[in-house]
Amino acid sequence: MYSNMVTLQTLDTVFYEAQRQGRISFYVTSIGEEAINIASAAALTSDDIVFPQYREPGVLLWRGFTLQEFANQCFGNKADYGKGRQMPIHYGSNKLNYFTVSSTIATQIPHAVGAAYSLKMDKKDACAVTYFGDGGTSEGDFHAAMNFAAVTESPVIFICRNNGWAISTPTSDQFRSDGIAVRGQAYGVRSIRVDGNDALAMYSAVRSARQMAVNEHRPILIEAVTYRVGHHSTSDDSTKYRPADEIEWWRMARDPVTRFRKWIEINGWWGSEAESQLRSSIRSQLLHAIQIAERAEKPPVNDLFTDVYDNIPSNLREQEKLLKETINRHPKDYPADVPI
């Protein structure tokens, strides 16, 4: 678990730097929320279906998504499973039961309940798991999903990353309830509040939640209290709406990676030499993956029009024809590395 937390931390650092260098267009970090990512993933099984928001790449990392696969998606090359159609960090993997990230807030929550209901009807020994932020609970989809799950008694785990901020909107401007857990109770859903920066607490809560969801056919809500140390995304400057000393306190005093490292060091399972080797190795592997992803061929223009209709309709064929004609007329205005 600790190695994966460090890998996620390094992934964020390197890709954030790549975006600032203009090598990728966009990025979202999980800084301060590594324990929620990795510990929850460790408590699940590979048969459990994950419906993420966009700050859970650690779940995919735990399940075996390689650094090369992360790099391919962020650079939108031909090996990207989304064929370059999505923004960076919109990961997905059929093989790993991880639905593709969608930027629209909270839409994944009712989807997860539907999948859980299907698992129940098929008598599968698995559950659905969905992640979302405190801002997601302000959307109607959250409330519809909670009621849907309670009434159908579906095996779904709702994991809310209550990190204090919905972009620039603090929780105090979103609701007056005592956090998120009480909302689940109001819908008849068993709920618990957990320290989201404590990896062991997160693991314990999610493991118990899974047992209840699968064995008792019931939904569970976990409110993981944490803090978004990084900016909302590379398009955001969070120092414009929250004090820098608040961010620094959470970074230094409440960092989940440091807390977990101290615990494994106390138990004699880790040391400074192992730490140095791990961080150096991960960074080296990641930089190598980026070099490969950056040099790889881009998906062809044709891929913009495929994979929706079995037989492409005439209006899309017309659009494709006009696009290619425009590119040929104005080649300097389009990327030279995208095959026509």
Side-chain angles (χ1 to χ4, degrees), residues 12-24:
D12 279 345
T13 301
V14 173
F15 276 125
Y16 188 88
E17 291 170 354
Q19 194 281 333
R20 287 299 187 242
Q21 293 165 1
R23 297 165 77 180
I24 59 175

Side-chain angles (χ1 to χ4, degrees), residues 314-331:
S314 58
N315 65 313
L316 285 186
R317 291 193 184 281
E318 180 68 14
Q319 286 182 34
E320 182 180 358
K321 178 187 172 195
L322 290 171
L323 175 59
K324 289 181 177 180
E325 289 174 355
T326 304
I327 293 172
N328 287 327
R329 279 201 308 271
H330 309 282

Side-chain angles (χ1 to χ4, degrees), residues 262-283:
K262 288 179 179 177
W263 182 75
I264 58 176
E265 284 181 335
I266 288 171
N267 282 279
W269 302 328
W270 200 250
S272 56
E273 185 178 344
E275 178 78 12
S276 178
Q277 289 177 353
L278 175 65
R279 289 186 178 274
S280 176
S281 173
I282 293 168
R283 186 174 179 86

Side-chain angles (χ1 to χ4, degrees), residues 26-103:
F26 179 80
Y27 195 72
V28 169
T29 67
S30 305
I31 301 169
E33 301 180 34
E34 294 90 350
I36 295 175
N37 272 248
I38 302 302
S40 65
L44 302 172
T45 74
S46 59
D47 292 328
D48 298 327
I49 304 172
V50 177
F51 291 80
Q53 189 173 351
Y54 42 64
R55 219 177 292 277
E56 297 87 21
V59 179
L60 202 47
L61 178 69
W62 177 269
R63 290 192 165 201
F65 209 65
T66 66
L67 298 182
Q68 190 62 64
E69 288 174 308
F70 280 111
N72 290 339
Q73 198 286 324
C74 285
F75 281 88
N77 62 32
K78 201 170 183 179
D80 168 28
Y81 302 130
K83 301 184 180 179
R85 298 166 178 145
Q86 284 271 28
M87 292 167 65
I89 67 90
H90 288 58
Y91 312 111
S93 173
N94 290 338
K95 182 177 68 174
L96 300 176
N97 279 332
Y98 189 97
F99 270 67
T100 301
V101 172
S102 172
S103 282

